[in-house]
Every structure is written in structure tokens, then in C-alpha cells.
Amino acid sequence: MTERDTALPAIDPALRERMVEGICALLPHVLKREVTGATADTTLMEALGMSSTSGLELILELEERLDLEISVEELGRDDFGTVGTLADYVAGNLLPEA
């Protein structure tokens, strides 16, 4: 294992919260149904029935809505565990503006 594999990137708590809020705001649009009470602990696939296709759509919508570019090189199924794990991934994998 490399150091990158074992060390988690430092994530700004304010940025993470912004990502949680953005993800929760986009869930009804992406899932095409009402979603209430979603929090950082809400499971995306189990509780909300999100598929891998809707997960990818969520990432694309998040980029567009928040005017960000997210590296998806290492994005995996585990990152879609909860709203919080996805927010952690996004906050830790933003690409610098060109």
C-alpha cells in the first residue's frame, strides 16, 4: 500500500458541509421523486435506491450546480455509501480551476 492509500486527505469541514447540502438538494432531481430528511448519514443505495447510473448523474449535476470539477479517477462504490462518504470524496477530489 502506498502512503496515498492509507492517508486520507485533509477535508475542510465547511467544504464538506457545502457538499452534503448540495448532494441533498440534488437528490430529488436525480432520483426524480421527493426526498425528505436526507442527512450526511443517509445511505444512498440502501435507503434511497440510488443506482450506479443515478450516482454518476448526481456527480455531474453537482459539478454543474456548484461550478466545480471533480476527479472521478478513484471514485468507487464505497464512496456512494452515504451522503457523507460521497461528500468526503468530492471535497477531497476537487480539481483545481484551469
Side-chain angles (χ1 to χ4, degrees):
M1 236 183 219
T2 66
E3 184 177 325
R4 187 185 183 319
D5 293 332
T6 58
L8 294 175
I11 296 172
D12 176 8
L15 177 59
R16 182 188 190 269
E17 185 58 32
R18 181 175 169 222
M19 296 304 108
V20 167
E21 290 171 3
I23 291 165
C24 289
L26 286 169
L27 287 172
H29 173 73
V30 171
L31 297 174
K32 297 171 181 40
R33 63 179 168 84
E34 187 175 337
V35 177
T36 57
T39 68
D41 296 325
T42 302
T43 57
L44 294 169
M45 295 187 182
E46 291 81 12
L48 300 178
M50 180 173 281
S51 67
S52 56
T53 302
S54 56
L56 213 43
E57 183 180 347
L58 178 60
I59 292 291
L60 294 172
E61 290 287 338
L62 195 61
E63 284 183 320
E64 186 174 315
R65 178 83 49 101
L66 300 178
D67 196 27
L68 303 168
E69 191 170 349
I70 303 162
S71 171
V72 294
E73 297 278 325
E74 297 180 23
L75 182 62
R77 184 173 176 86
D78 290 346
D79 298 309
F80 288 96
T82 66
V83 171
T85 59
L86 185 57
D88 289 341
Y89 178 86
V90 171
N93 289 278
L94 293 177
L95 295 174
E97 293 182 25

